[in-house]
Amino acid sequence: MYDPPEGPPPGWRPLKDVTFAPVHDEHWPKLAARGWTTVTSAPDTDALVTAAAAFFAQPAAAKEVPGYTHIAGEKQLLTLTSPTQFPPAAAIWTQARKLLLEALAAVERSLAMPPGALSRFDGTHSILRVFDYEGAGLVAEPHCDLGLLTLVVSTTPGLEVWDDGWVPIERNSIAGTLLVGTELAFLTNGRYSAGRHRVVADGPRYSVVFALRAHWPTPIDYTTLSTPITGTFAGPPTAGELAQRIRATRYNINGPVEGRKRPALAQSAQSPANLSK
Ligand SMILES: O=C(O)CCC(=O)C(=O)O
Ligand SMILES: [Fe+2]
């Protein structure tokens, strides 16, 4: 069988070398090529996990709060849309957001974008999720995240990332994993790939997932995003319209199981070129 060559199409300029302290220099290029890399330091989530475990251990009636979901046999999760919604999460929210904004600044430098070209999408649409996985086996199906960048920190290995095969990235003791979301793949005109991942659990596992998502009202300035490295591109006028186009091509992996029986959506449906139409 013929395997197409790896790498950008002819004529694309290479990304600039950048240094981002929490990622080993030799690991950084994986972020663009595959959409994931490991970080050597991440916020300490112990206190948040302890508080969340106490919350999850309560009877169902006590958990009827906004953002709580239970998928029987698979997981319980708490989705926070602001840092004050669950006070034990406030410090992690601040630290994770800072780490991801710094990573985004490194992405800007690697693409010869002016400072702020991507980090200006920061706003009030980011989320923090705490998961209590109770099932075994595949507890989060393969997917790419919606947003700009995601940080995953867990108590037990389980996250797997795609690299021509599933890589159980948390089996080596790592501080956390950085994932590229579909919004960032689009805003870099595909120079950063969205990181495909899934969760395979072999016992109880807690994870803290901070997803930096583009602020919906922010206009997308294609002149600033188009550089000699990204090339020229165009698409929806605002981050909100971009998010809606991405959502229209996918389903929520943390939703009810019945809604997830559809075959995995073709990656092409989410390619930057398709989203710009
Ligand atoms: O729990 C995890 O490690 C990852 C969960 C995930 O991929 C997601 O919620 O998008
Ligand atoms: Fe995810």
Side-chain angles (χ1 to χ4, degrees):
M1 215 173 93
Y2 172 73
D3 286 322
E6 294 238 336
W12 278 31
R13 301 208 185 163
L15 272 62
K16 288 176 184 281
D17 285 336
V18 297
T19 294
F20 173 60
V23 175
H24 286 302
D25 284 351
E26 69 273 24
H27 290 174
W28 177 265
K30 268 284 194 234
L31 195 62
R34 289 288 184 253
W36 52 264
T37 194
T38 55
V39 288
T40 53
S41 63
D44 181 349
T45 56
D46 287 356
L48 171 56
V49 167
T50 303
F55 170 82
F56 289 132
Q58 298 176 106
K63 295 184 282 194
E64 286 172 7
V65 299
Y68 173 74
T69 310
H70 183 203
I71 302 166
E74 195 171 87
K75 59 197 156 198
Q76 303 187 72
L77 60 134
L78 194 54
T79 301
L80 312 179
T81 54
S82 100
T84 53
Q85 197 177 331
F86 188 68
I92 312 285
W93 183 296
T94 305
Q95 293 160 22
R97 173 169 164 260
K98 182 169 177 282
L99 182 92
L100 295 189
L101 286 173
E102 286 166 5
L104 217 44
V107 172
E108 291 165 355
R109 294 195 297 276
S110 75
L111 296 170
M113 287 178 181
L118 295 168
S119 55
R120 63 191 286 277
F121 287 98
D122 179 39
T124 58
H125 286 87
S126 297
I127 59 165
L128 187 151
R129 283 192 167 127
V130 188
F131 289 88
D132 171 1
Y133 290 97
E134 58 196 21
L138 187 66
V139 287
E141 287 120 358
H143 67 282
C144 298
D145 289 353
L146 164 77
L148 297 165
L149 285 171
T150 304
L151 177 70
V152 180
V153 179
S154 76
T155 55
T156 314
L159 182 68
E160 299 190 349
V161 292
W162 183 258
D163 189 3
D164 301 328
W166 289 109
V167 178
I169 192 164
E170 294 179 332
R171 299 268 166 211
N172 307 319
S173 58
I174 55 157
T177 305
L178 201 54
L179 298 163
V180 173
T182 309
E183 289 176 344
L184 184 59
F186 175 79
L187 295 172
T188 63
N189 197 24
R191 293 311 306 261
Y192 280 73
S193 306
R196 209 165 154 66
H197 57 284
R198 66 178 189 178
V199 179
V200 180
D202 54 12
R205 174 176 182 270
Y206 293 93
S207 63
V208 176
V209 177
F210 182 78
L212 189 74
R213 291 180 171 177
H215 186 58
W216 281 29
T218 306
I220 303 179
D221 175 3
Y222 292 95
T223 312
T224 308
L225 298 172
S226 299
T227 73
I229 300 175
T230 59
T232 304
F233 66 111
T238 64
E241 281 170 74
L242 172 62
Q244 279 163 346
R245 283 187 202 193
I246 297 169
R247 283 230 167 95
T249 66
R250 57 204 275 152
Y251 62 94
N252 178 5
I253 57 126
N254 294 315
V257 175
E258 311 80 67
R260 293 157 27 193
K261 292 275 154 68
R262 283 199 274 157
L265 290 155
Q267 278 291 86
S268 62
Q270 290 186 3
S271 76
N274 270 304
L275 292 169
S276 61
K277 283 177 204 131

